[in-house]
Amino acid sequence: MGKIADKYIKIDKWKIIEDGFNAYNGMVSESIFSLGNEYMGVRGYFDEGYSGEKLIGSYLNGIIEKDEIKLSNSYKGMVKNKTYMVNTVDWLYTRISIDGEELDLSRSNIREFKRILDMKQGILTREFIWDTSKGKSIKITFERFVSMVESKLGCQKIVFEPLNFSGNIEVESGLDFSRWHQAEKKNLWACPKKGKEKNIIAILGETLKSKQKVLSAFELKGVPEEIVRYFMEEKFVGVKFSLFLDKSKKRRLEKIVVNYAEKNISKTIEEVWKDGMAVAKKLCSIEYEKAFGQQRDYWESVWKSSDIVIEGDEENQQGIRYCIFQLYQTYHGEDSRFNIGAKGLTGEAYSGNTFWDTETYCLPFYIFNNPRAAKNLIEFRYKTLPEARKRAAELDCEGAFYPIATNDGSETCGLWQHASLQLQASTGVAYAIWHYDKLIEDKKFLYTKGIEMLIEISRMLASRGQWGQKNNKFGYFAVMGPDEFQMMVNNNFYTNIMGKKTLAYTLEVLIEMTLKAPQQLNEIEKKLKLCSQELEDWKLKEENMYIPYDEKTGIYEQHDGYFDLPHINIHSIPVEQFPLYHSWSYDRIYRNDMIKQPDVLMYMFLHNQEFSFETKKINYEYYEPRTIHESSLSPSIHSILASELKKYGEAFEFFKFATRMDLDNYNRNTNEGLHTTSIAAAWMNIVYGFGGMRSDGKILAFKPSIPDTWKSYSFNLLYKGTLLHFKIDNKFVTVYRINGPVVKVNIYDEDYLLDSNEVKIALQ
């Protein structure tokens, strides 16, 4: 695939370790050492400031700015406004100097640098020795964490240890709203209020256009009040003080920070200040060690239920734990107003937008580890249903057309070919409802919010499709499927079959409701003015959906005319031309049969049990050599299918990129932020790939395999309220129920009832 690892992170099962500082890796490390708790996230930038290349990125989920997209020509349906996640307050702001010399790792003489992210406890530590120009040596240790228990709380600890002197050190600590938003190359904040109430110092920022507000406040501990000098600037509040340090004795200071976000723009500055300060007064009183104890307990609970253990492969053991760690940091279901951006809360690429990846790649992890989070991800789509309805009207459709890229439910992608031609966000939402219902059986949700979304998506699908003149079949014309290297195509296989599946499922749920929830059905029919003629129309279109298929070869054609496209040998493309978007003219990319990421194969993963082994094998062997894997989401799906097809060597080659995509900077763009949805795909790669799990059949099914170099691996799954443990070694598959009711699973085509006894089966 032309991907080469850039290895500098030390291998450790529970820690991410950078031993020695190299400015070349600076921004990559900022992303890798990011912390988050769903509510807020902060890149791993240096607390004390740094004059080298950097992105001092601090983000609050849902805090966005809006701007006009400047178009030379604008037509109906083209997106005119964009939203993007805003870089907010640098709450870790620190400046340190000795004898007038300021600490700056780009210029200062430092040694024994080490940075450690402890995934077991959820804390980032950085330490080094600073040798000043006057011969003084001091060891400085920074700690930080964002609380997984109190979402608005961030904590910083700094420890000073003078090694060869006693004397003063000058320190500044504050809250800084003056940082630029990197993508926009400007600052996006006004700061109408600042102040100090007892020991709490605070500043309120307001975005220039969206008028969302953030109050940031802190209390400093470990510094006598009488030596602290309070000061403020236009977009900054902070303190200055001088500490006397005794040789070889440690001195610590702690900064307890509260970041309070208010998205309701009707609230006044005074109201937000009052509400935010009330939270600050409560949380800033907490002791650092107590908050850290809560953090340790939270992560201990996470690892008990969600850990994946690999014996015989420390690199991928570290990698998969990093993926699980970042998935919980990015989202754990605290608030259904939040979703998962492509970069999470780790950078500004993709503007913080949510894509269809959430429902297809991320949701399985949450369904099997944190069902509440899974539900809240779908709840986000329900809350933004009004925006999807508006978007459908803009595109001359009925019902709801979900955006391909969004922060708040509105379409924010300025590329019309994506925003207008891609239906997979809508069918992805329908798939999520289907998948969630199948595994969680939350009928209360399905019969209310779920069915409302399904009906509106089905209306869009029925109105967006058309009948072909020659074949008299229903299909979708002028679309772009998951393979974004094929634009404005007709009858894309994935689009058509997902449309068919959605229409059929909606009708199925409505029939189910006539028997099990007639009152709720009556309410939804009245609310949405649903009539029998509309249902008959959907049934006709579903039954006559055109599915491009070659009966002679058994290959599903990606779209009309795909088989006749000029062929290109993807292995003949020089590696220096990647990524192709940067090297090839835009239209050149579309003039051949090269595939960006799985399309036909994507559907064969989502609805795997519908196809025979031979059909999957034929289609895999046709499409895989044509796939260039320009998307970080691509390798995992191919690895999962390769495992199923017993192409174990090929599966492991694809897998190697999955867990360490960012740790080893395979795509050479980790500096922009982590590949959050690809991280979720890495989890799938182990559980669905080597574990052979399939969740689209009647019951949960498994056909495990194990890579040759591994001794064993194990994982847990939460299924129908039962926590299950799976261990696979070179001889056996062992499964047992940790807690919860008795459940049935299928292993190697045999059903097993998991009660109090473990099931031990020979590896096949």
Side-chain angles (χ1 to χ4, degrees), residues 129-179:
I129 295 173
W130 176 25
D131 298 316
T132 73
S133 60
K134 293 187 177 180
K136 294 180 178 179
S137 298
I138 182 171
K139 182 177 180 180
I140 304 178
T141 303
F142 293 89
E143 284 184 5
R144 70 173 73 159
F145 65 91
V146 292
S147 174
M148 299 293 286
V149 178
E150 298 286 355
S151 60
K152 299 174 180 64
L153 182 67
C155 297
Q156 176 196 46
K157 181 170 77 173
I158 308 174
V159 179
F160 301 107
E161 184 181 1
L163 303 179
N164 65 354
F165 74 98
S166 295
N168 289 328
I169 184 169
E170 306 297 324
V171 181
E172 291 183 18
S173 181
L175 305 167
D176 186 9
F177 268 103
S178 70
R179 297 297 167 190

Side-chain angles (χ1 to χ4, degrees), residues 482-688:
D483 173 21
E484 295 175 337
F485 280 3
Q486 304 292 328
M487 180 179 73
M488 206 61 130
V489 302
N490 299 329
N491 290 314
N492 170 259
F493 167 80
Y494 181 92
T495 305
N496 280 23
I497 200 164
M498 286 293 279
K500 176 181 175 68
K501 203 77 178 176
T502 300
L503 291 168
Y505 178 56
T506 304
L507 292 168
E508 177 187 318
V509 173
L510 289 169
I511 292 171
E512 181 181 313
M513 289 178 70
T514 61
L515 301 173
K516 298 181 178 180
Q519 182 177 344
Q520 289 163 308
L521 176 61
N522 184 54
E523 290 171 359
I524 202 74
E525 286 176 338
K526 287 181 178 179
K527 180 178 180 180
L528 301 184
K529 299 178 181 178
L530 187 67
C531 63
S532 59
Q533 292 89 339
E534 193 170 13
L535 304 187
E536 291 169 5
D537 178 62
W538 296 353
K539 185 173 178 59
L540 179 67
K541 289 171 177 175
E542 181 270 321
E543 290 176 343
N544 287 277
M545 187 72 71
Y546 176 62
I547 307 299
Y549 176 69
D550 187 328
E551 293 185 1
K552 291 182 180 179
T553 62
I555 298 171
Y556 288 90
E557 188 172 18
Q558 183 170 295
H559 57 78
D560 286 351
Y562 177 84
F563 289 153
D564 197 36
L565 287 172
H567 179 64
I568 184 170
N569 180 0
I570 60 175
H571 302 293
S572 68
I573 302 172
V575 67
E576 58 269 17
Q577 292 186 15
F578 294 102
L580 293 181
Y581 282 126
H582 296 169
S583 303
W584 288 24
S585 65
Y586 200 51
D587 68 297
R588 180 185 177 192
I589 290 173
Y590 298 101
R591 302 199 305 257
N592 52 69
D593 66 347
M594 178 171 55
I595 297 170
K596 179 184 177 183
Q597 66 191 80
D599 195 304
V600 172
L601 299 182
M602 185 67 199
Y603 182 83
M604 290 187 170
F605 164 69
L606 297 179
H607 290 284
N608 185 272
Q609 302 300 285
E610 294 180 2
F611 302 95
S612 68
F613 179 92
E614 188 59 32
T615 297
K616 284 177 274 195
K617 182 174 184 292
I618 290 169
N619 281 270
Y620 178 90
E621 291 177 348
Y622 180 82
Y623 284 110
E624 190 283 320
R626 291 164 169 78
T627 306
I628 200 70
H629 306 290
E630 277 281 85
S631 167
S632 62
L633 298 170
S634 186
S636 289
I637 297 301
H638 284 81
S639 180
I640 291 167
L641 291 174
S643 290
E644 180 182 4
L645 299 173
K646 304 185 186 302
K647 299 175 182 287
Y648 299 126
E650 198 168 317
F652 195 72
E653 284 301 305
F654 281 122
F655 168 75
K656 286 195 303 185
F657 307 103
T659 66
R660 303 190 65 86
M661 175 70 71
D662 291 306
L663 290 178
D664 294 336
N665 196 18
Y666 274 107
N667 278 14
R668 295 301 185 268
N669 60 359
T670 300
N671 60 299
E672 298 176 351
L674 301 179
H675 296 80
T676 305
T677 48
S678 178
I679 282 171
W683 178 88
M684 290 200 303
N685 208 152
I686 291 180
V687 176
Y688 282 85

Side-chain angles (χ1 to χ4, degrees), residues 88-254:
T88 63
V89 60
D90 176 11
W91 55 271
L92 294 159
Y93 179 98
T94 308
R95 297 295 181 267
I96 299 169
S97 60
I98 298 176
D99 300 327
E101 180 180 341
E102 187 168 304
L103 175 62
D104 179 347
L105 268 65
S106 182
R107 299 169 179 167
S108 300
N109 184 20
I110 65 164
R111 54 189 168 94
E112 298 183 29
F113 176 98
K114 184 171 284 189
R115 178 161 33 184
I116 300 173
L117 174 60
D118 185 339
M119 297 181 289
K120 205 167 191 176
Q121 303 185 91
I123 190 168
L124 175 62
T125 304
R126 180 170 55 95
E127 63 180 37
F128 54 84
I129 295 173
W130 176 25
D131 298 316
T132 73
S133 60
K134 293 187 177 180
K136 294 180 178 179
S137 298
I138 182 171
K139 182 177 180 180
I140 304 178
T141 303
F142 293 89
E143 284 184 5
R144 70 173 73 159
F145 65 91
V146 292
S147 174
M148 299 293 286
V149 178
E150 298 286 355
S151 60
K152 299 174 180 64
L153 182 67
C155 297
Q156 176 196 46
K157 181 170 77 173
I158 308 174
V159 179
F160 301 107
E161 184 181 1
L163 303 179
N164 65 354
F165 74 98
S166 295
N168 289 328
I169 184 169
E170 306 297 324
V171 181
E172 291 183 18
S173 181
L175 305 167
D176 186 9
F177 268 103
S178 70
R179 297 297 167 190
W180 277 25
H181 186 83
Q182 188 183 62
E184 297 298 312
K185 294 182 173 57
K186 60 184 177 182
N187 181 265
L188 300 166
W189 293 93
C191 294
K193 188 173 176 65
K194 313 170 192 71
K196 181 176 184 292
E197 297 183 16
K198 294 185 178 180
N199 293 329
I200 298 176
I201 298 166
I203 182 170
L204 189 146
E206 183 179 60
T207 52
L208 297 179
K209 293 185 178 179
S210 66
K211 300 301 180 182
Q212 292 181 328
K213 300 172 183 67
V214 171
L215 179 135
S216 187
F218 78 97
E219 181 175 337
L220 207 59
K221 301 183 180 184
V223 184
E225 176 70 18
E226 61 269 18
I227 70 170
V228 173
R229 290 164 289 157
Y230 168 71
F231 73 106
M232 68 174 70
E233 297 170 1
E234 181 187 358
K235 299 180 182 182
F236 178 92
V237 292
V239 294
K240 297 179 181 181
F241 52 91
S242 179
L243 286 178
F244 182 80
L245 305 178
D246 288 322
K247 180 182 175 181
S248 300
K249 290 185 178 179
K250 295 180 181 180
R251 184 150 187 184
R252 59 191 277 174
L253 62 91
E254 298 162 355

Side-chain angles (χ1 to χ4, degrees), residues 368-386:
F368 290 107
N369 289 277
N370 187 346
R372 182 186 71 160
K375 181 176 182 178
N376 277 350
L377 284 172
I378 307 174
E379 286 268 9
F380 172 85
R381 296 297 193 177
Y382 182 75
K383 283 181 167 63
T384 59
L385 180 57

